Amino acid sequence: MLPLAVVTGANGVFGRYICAGLAASGRFSRVIGVVRDNAKWDAVVEAEPDLQTTPGVLASIECNLEDPQSIQALASSIGTDPVGCLVNAAAVTFPDRRESPATGEEMQWAVNVLGYHRMIKTLLPNLRSAAAADAARPSRVVNVASTWAGGLDLADPQYRRRPYKGDAVYKATKQANRMQARGWAKYLADNAELNPGVIEVVACHPGVCTSAVTKGLGMEFGNTKESEKDGAVTPLHCALAPNIVSGAFYPTTTLGDCPFSDDAAAVQKLWDLCVASDTRWSGRWTVGS
């Protein structure tokens, strides 16, 4: 039985082509696009020929990634089905400070960082199940991050004590995404006895074109269909290539350096912050179990 693939931010400019590429690979029984609005997903599928070539493979589930309970509901919908690939591609940005109605956490931190962590955490049993079923094919988690990253202050990651500037906050969350890949790779290596197969976690940079996020950052580029599709190339490489380096950052399909992830103390502090946030919310399992 083929495993599932799960892609957050599936309605996005890159997310839709990541879904299309995973579906076309033939390696997954279904590719589940995680979206805020199924109706918008249906409209994207109807308008995009690349999403119409694999009937019966693509599906969608609504989820608000800033809300841990919504992520749990998504996991309940998936049940015990094996998940061979999770692509965290959802992201938001805002010019002014907004807080999650569900948790009170700053919204970019809640979606772009904690959302990534909680998706991996909640689907870890499914990722383990897929890895156990096929020893030759590791389960794969891809954090879509950015080369435009930096400025993360782990003493004030939610900008409670600093002036709020939306683009700086977004840039800090992308630094965190790269560090999260290293943190999860270390956790899985340190707890290998809990994993019946191999689970690999990487971060990557997609292409650059106009999207809801870049518009929110005040940036617009000259989009073409090819530039939009090119944005999915590196995430798909990280999801499907036979050999990748777990914990690494891929700025392109070639392995790159990441000084943020090389700071072991900072990676651990970020990990601790993510775990601490989950002590406030019930989940399917506790990190370390």
Side-chain angles (χ1 to χ4, degrees):
M1 174 180 164
L2 293 174
L4 306 178
V6 178
V7 181
T8 70
N11 275 342
V13 171
F14 299 144
R16 65 190 66 178
Y17 294 113
I18 294 171
C19 287
L22 293 175
S25 74
R27 287 171 44 176
F28 306 99
S29 60
R30 283 187 301 154
V31 176
I32 298 175
V34 179
V35 298
R36 293 183 68 93
D37 186 335
N38 279 330
K40 289 184 179 180
W41 167 255
D42 292 341
V44 167
V45 172
E46 184 176 350
E48 180 48 66
D50 283 31
L51 296 173
Q52 300 166 17
T53 60
T54 51
V57 177
L58 290 167
S60 67
I61 296 178
E62 289 185 352
C63 181
N64 293 326
L65 292 171
E66 76 272 12
D67 183 352
Q69 300 297 328
S70 187
I71 292 175
Q72 290 177 43
L74 178 151
S76 295
S77 297
I78 292 172
T80 59
D81 289 351
V83 172
C85 181
L86 166 64
V87 180
N88 283 314
V92 297
T93 187
F94 304 102
D96 54 349
R97 182 183 177 84
R98 302 185 190 184
E99 295 185 348
S100 164
T103 66
E105 294 156 340
E106 190 277 319
M107 189 67 84
Q108 291 197 67
W109 180 254
V111 174
N112 302 1
V113 180
L114 297 180
Y116 280 29
H117 179 83
R118 290 165 177 160
M119 283 295 297
I120 302 171
K121 181 200 75 167
T122 308
L123 292 180
L124 187 57
N126 308 76
L127 292 160
R128 284 173 168 154
S129 177
D134 189 348
R137 182 166 289 168
S139 293
R140 196 76 56 82
V141 177
V142 181
N143 283 352
V144 176
S146 181
T147 54
W148 198 62
L152 178 63
D153 181 351
L154 291 169
D156 185 28
Q158 300 189 55
Y159 282 74
R160 299 190 187 281
R161 298 188 295 274
R162 292 177 290 161
Y164 192 93
K165 188 177 179 184
D167 57 348
V169 180
Y170 179 82
K171 190 175 180 181
T173 67
K174 295 295 102 180
Q175 175 182 340
N177 293 158
R178 289 161 60 168
M179 296 165 65
Q180 285 176 298
R182 183 68 58 85
W184 270 103
K186 181 179 185 303
Y187 168 79
L188 292 165
D190 289 349
N191 295 274
E193 71 280 0
L194 301 177
N195 303 313
V198 177
I199 303 172
E200 298 169 332
V201 187
V202 298
C204 72
H205 172 74
V208 177
C209 68
T210 300
S211 65
V213 166
T214 64
K215 287 180 179 178
L217 295 169
M219 303 176 187
E220 294 204 36
F221 306 91
N223 282 26
T224 65
K225 185 63 68 175
E226 286 308 308
S227 69
E228 294 178 355
K229 291 182 178 182
D230 286 348
V233 169
T234 299
L236 285 170
H237 172 83
C238 291
L240 299 171
N243 297 301
I244 57 98
V245 178
S246 190
F249 175 61
Y250 285 78
T252 64
T253 55
T254 302
L255 179 68
D257 296 325
C258 183
F260 307 129
S261 299
D262 290 339
D263 186 339
V267 168
Q268 183 62 51
K269 187 169 183 179
L270 173 61
W271 175 269
D272 292 342
L273 286 173
C274 291
V275 171
S277 74
D278 283 334
T279 64
R280 301 171 56 199
W281 316 107
S282 61
R284 288 177 60 191
W285 65 288
T286 301
V287 171
S289 65

